[in-house]
Amino acid sequence: MKKFGTLVQDHFKQVFGEANALERIPVYGTNNVQPKPKLGTLMRFRCMVQDPSYGEELHLSVAQLVNTATGEVRQKFSQYTDNGPILDENWEVDYVSAGNKFIEKEVAYCVSVPGQTKWAEMNTAGNLEEAMEALDICPATDEEELLTGSAEKYPLRGQKHAAALVKFYAPGNAPKVSEIVDVVGIFELGYNPREEPQQSEEQDARWPCLHSIFHNTVSVESLVSGLPMISAADEYMDRRNMCLSHLTSVLGDDSLAAHYLLLHLLSSTVVVQGTKVGKFSLNLIGYPAAASAKSENDVAECSGQKEPLVNGGFVLDNLATKRVGDALAQLVPWCVEVPFELKLLNNTSFAPNAEGGDLRAGVLQLAPSTQMVCDETCLHEGTLNERGVRNLHALQTTILDQTVTYMYPFQPIEMACNLRILVLSTGKSILHNDCDLYLAESAVQLMQKINNGEKANEPKLLDPMHSEQLRQYLEMARNLEFSVPKEVSDRISEEYAQMRRRAHESNERMVSQAELALAVTVARLISVSKGEAELSWDSWTEACALEVCRAERNARFAAKNKAASEAAQQQADTEPETKTQN
């Protein structure tokens, strides 16, 4: 027989399974408004589980009551609250009665989804003004106590966010770490078991809590479900061409870079027969260096203290790289910008850490399918401290293995993730990525003009309908069930063997297994971009042609940079001789 909490969960799963049912429930917490709703209000919170290890609590759900005057016995039920039963005069709880029933609650610390973009937030909140009016919500002032949590438990430290302790009443069914869920529950102020107790109960009971009567894992597809499904191949191609056109405009009419950026946006890490496949980190090279910021020491000398980072420091100041970040934020629901500034690298932690007993968030503790835009153009000369080195190492591990290291007291634990990581840099990135590509000369010149503040061609603006169509296309294509037919796999293997044999006979460089694996990934993503559920030979041929174009462009830029470096070195060597002769 199912427990009561599970029965309630199943019931509301049917109720809220109806179209737009969740949208009728007011939203708890946005990035712009800190809510102070009435206690006992039914609310919805789209959140990420930051720390699921708050343990379990026992709650007296069925209490045996006895009347001290008459000896009468009755039972009273209570759930979805931390408060005990409200007792009338002469009634008290018989705590030794066998008729008392206790239930378990699993407690998790949940936060606003890090990097949630504006359009995704609007889709979540629905009609924010009506929700605020219904709940008597108003923007919080400096004097009001904000219902937010610890800054150390939010991955993007310094950014505004909402937080709550969420209590799940279906044992064993609570969501896992970093999972995104829609929680529908009763709002209360409760106690944080990891805080030191205050002098009075009123001071203790100040943490926002949601007693979950229903929760559901959020899929990215649910955010773009308002349009008819794409089914025909020509519809996929139309959306693909539309997306390529838009990305080409964003990248300064660089069609090759747009193709690879589209493949990056379609990538997703999946496990096939115990092996992770599908990841495709991308490094676009040729962006102008950002203006050098003040060092931490300069800031301290000027102000007497360290200057707080704007928006937590997670914002791109380089106008050229910001152009890309803004464009991607229009297409994906969760996008995080990470400038490689020394003050950010040296003062924040990328890896989550629970060595003190409480799980403190790291920058890499992000929701599945989050888009990261890393800006290497702002990494200037300076000292990278030990934490900064650890941060870059953690990011490199995530790029290569799609895992995030959680630092626990006795040993680190590797947890699987699914993050798309785009690195924008001036020269080749200090990080090893799956794919590197130099921007075309014309695109490099355009990006330099943009960074200098000069007028440049703006990317074509997408109207709301086309934006929705591209979002839907990316999510549907990314989530296609994909396979590689045996005949195509055998044909690729045979072609690879012939290429190596010809290279050996002509004493040329052989294609490596890593290059073959990259080409297969590119071919897979090209097929996905067309809405194909299987790898086709045409997609493999197209992938090989793209890779040839990429290799030729990279070789051309590498030779150009080498020649420039040699010329600079030669000039540097001749200057001392000239001075000596003078």
Side-chain angles (χ1 to χ4, degrees):
M1 181 177 177
K2 288 186 177 181
K3 294 185 178 181
F4 180 80
T6 305
L7 290 171
V8 173
Q9 170 83 5
D10 292 345
H11 170 72
F12 281 101
K13 189 172 185 178
Q14 293 181 345
V15 172
F16 295 124
E18 300 176 4
N20 303 323
L22 285 176
E23 295 180 6
R24 297 195 289 267
I25 301 174
V27 175
Y28 170 80
T30 71
N31 288 333
N32 301 316
V33 179
Q34 294 297 341
K36 301 194 75 173
K38 298 174 182 178
L39 301 183
T41 301
L42 181 69
M43 304 201 72
R44 174 167 61 103
F45 186 24
R46 177 161 291 171
C47 56
M48 184 189 79
V49 178
Q50 190 274 326
D51 188 352
S53 64
Y54 271 62
E56 297 179 346
E57 295 178 349
L58 283 178
H59 177 71
L60 182 61
S61 63
V62 178
Q64 194 82 2
L65 306 184
V66 60
N67 190 306
T68 56
T70 65
E72 181 185 352
V73 175
R74 66 173 60 160
Q75 287 184 326
K76 191 162 188 178
F77 172 82
S78 70
Q79 193 156 304
Y80 306 112
T81 179
D82 286 332
N83 300 319
I86 300 175
L87 303 177
D88 297 328
E89 187 178 356
N90 296 329
W91 288 90
E92 64 181 29
V93 179
D94 182 4
Y95 288 103
V96 298
S97 172
N100 293 329
K101 302 295 182 183
F102 290 88
I103 61 169
E104 293 180 344
K105 298 180 284 188
E106 294 189 50
V107 185
Y109 186 94
C110 300
V111 297
S112 306
V113 182
Q116 183 164 255
T117 54
K118 291 181 179 179
W119 69 265
E121 185 176 326
M122 292 177 62
N123 285 6
T124 301
N127 193 325
L128 186 58
E129 292 182 359
E130 290 183 7
M132 291 173 63
E133 183 178 350
L135 295 173
D136 294 334
I137 295 174
C138 60
T141 64
D142 294 338
E143 291 76 21
E144 292 177 326
E145 180 182 3
L146 301 181
L147 299 183
T148 55
S150 168
E152 291 188 343
K153 295 185 74 65
Y154 192 64
L156 308 181
R157 193 174 302 181
Q159 288 194 358
K160 293 181 180 180
H161 68 283
L165 291 175
V166 180
K167 305 194 175 184
F168 299 94
Y169 287 77
N173 196 30
K176 309 303 181 185
V177 65
S178 297
E179 191 173 336
I180 309 176
V181 289
D182 262 330
V183 175
V184 176
I186 307 298
F187 175 78
E188 277 192 348
L189 291 181
Y191 304 92
N192 186 344
R194 295 186 181 175
E195 275 197 340
E196 292 294 330
Q198 303 293 324
Q199 296 179 353
S200 68
E201 290 187 1
E202 290 184 357
Q203 288 177 306
D204 270 343
R206 62 188 183 87
W207 272 81
C209 292
L210 281 176
H211 296 268
S212 172
I213 63 173
F214 165 79
H215 75 272
N216 193 33
T217 300
V218 176
S219 63
V220 180
E221 305 96 288
S222 65
L223 299 176
V224 290
S225 58
L227 298 175
M229 299 287 285
I230 308 174
S231 54
D234 57 346
E235 289 183 275
Y236 267 102
M237 290 302 296
D238 288 344
R239 301 281 180 93
R240 179 181 188 265
N241 293 336
M242 186 195 307
C243 196
L244 280 173
S245 175
H246 177 62
L247 295 178
T248 300
S249 174
V250 170
L251 296 174
D253 293 331
D254 189 341
S255 176
L256 182 62
H259 274 83
Y260 277 95
L261 183 55
L262 173 61
L263 302 185
H264 168 73
L265 289 173
L266 291 173
S267 64
S268 181
T269 304
V270 295
V271 178
V272 178
Q273 297 179 349
T275 302
K276 291 181 181 178
V277 298
K279 72 182 185 71
F280 190 68
S281 62
L282 177 63
N283 174 208
L284 293 180
I285 310 168
Y287 283 89
S292 180
K294 288 184 178 181
S295 70
E296 294 179 73
N297 292 333
D298 292 337
V299 170
E301 289 174 4
C302 293
S303 62
Q305 58 183 358
K306 288 185 179 180
E307 186 178 275
L309 300 174
V310 177
N311 203 26
F314 298 97
V315 60
L316 304 184
D317 292 327
N318 187 329
L319 296 178
T321 56
K322 184 68 174 173
R323 175 185 174 111
V324 179
D326 290 345
L328 298 190
Q330 292 293 320
L331 301 176
V332 298
W334 304 299
C335 185
V336 173
E337 298 176 348
V338 184
F340 280 13
E341 295 181 355
L342 287 176
K343 59 185 176 182
L344 181 67
L345 295 174
N346 288 339
N347 293 300
T348 30
S349 293
F350 280 28
N353 192 311
E355 292 177 329
D358 189 33
L359 180 59
R360 300 188 301 278
V363 174
L364 294 174
Q365 189 185 2
L366 299 172
S369 199
T370 295
Q371 174 70 53
M372 293 184 68
V373 182
C374 300
D375 184 1
E376 219 175 272
T377 67
C378 53
L379 183 59
H380 299 291
E381 186 176 349
T383 302
L384 193 66
N385 63 20
E386 183 180 354
R387 174 181 285 183
V389 173
R390 289 200 306 267
N391 285 337
L392 290 180
H393 177 73
L395 181 57
Q396 182 67 86
T397 300
T398 300
I399 290 174
L400 295 178
D401 303 332
Q402 282 292 294
T403 59
V404 175
T405 304
Y406 284 66
M407 306 303 296
Y408 282 95
F410 299 105
Q411 65 175 10
I413 298 178
E414 303 288 339
M415 295 202 181
C417 66
N418 183 15
L419 304 178
R420 292 189 304 275
I421 301 176
L422 172 68
V423 181
L424 307 176
S425 59
T426 304
K428 192 170 181 180
S429 173
I430 59 175
L431 300 169
H432 178 72
N433 293 276
D434 296 316
C435 183
D436 306 311
L437 174 64
Y438 282 87
L439 294 177
E441 289 89 341
S442 58
V444 171
Q445 295 171 4
L446 176 65
M447 297 306 165
Q448 185 64 62
K449 288 182 179 180
I450 293 172
N451 194 44
N452 293 339
E454 300 177 26
K455 288 186 178 181
N457 294 332
E458 294 294 326
K460 298 175 183 177
L461 294 177
L462 291 172
D463 59 52
M465 175 58 73
H466 287 152
S467 297
E468 285 292 318
Q469 288 177 342
L470 292 188
R471 293 164 192 162
Q472 184 195 44
Y473 160 72
L474 291 173
E475 295 310 323
M476 288 190 64
R478 188 184 298 129
N479 288 281
L480 283 173
E481 292 187 7
F482 190 82
S483 62
V484 180
K486 186 178 185 302
E487 57 272 19
V488 175
S489 176
D490 292 343
R491 193 173 174 184
I492 292 174
S493 298
E494 182 181 350
E495 184 175 275
Y496 173 65
Q498 291 177 356
M499 290 171 62
R500 288 182 62 87
R501 190 181 305 113
R502 288 195 298 268
H504 177 72
E505 292 172 354
S506 58
N507 201 25
E508 297 177 350
R509 189 184 72 84
M510 296 185 182
V511 178
S512 67
Q513 288 187 347
E515 290 171 319
L516 172 65
L518 176 59
V520 171
T521 298
V522 170
R524 174 186 181 277
L525 293 172
I526 288 175
S527 279
V528 163
S529 73
K530 301 173 183 177
E532 298 172 350
E534 292 184 342
L535 178 61
S536 65
W537 186 252
D538 287 344
S539 294
W540 167 253
T541 303
E542 186 176 341
C544 292
L546 272 181
E547 282 294 275
V548 168
C549 292
R550 184 178 72 88
E552 290 176 350
R553 179 184 289 186
N554 286 352
R556 186 169 66 252
F557 270 90
K560 179 180 177 181
N561 293 340
K562 181 179 179 182
S565 178
E566 290 176 349
Q569 183 62 46
Q570 185 177 5
Q571 182 177 0
D573 292 340
T574 56
E575 283 182 355
E577 297 179 4
T578 304
K579 291 181 180 180
T580 302
Q581 294 174 0
N582 292 337

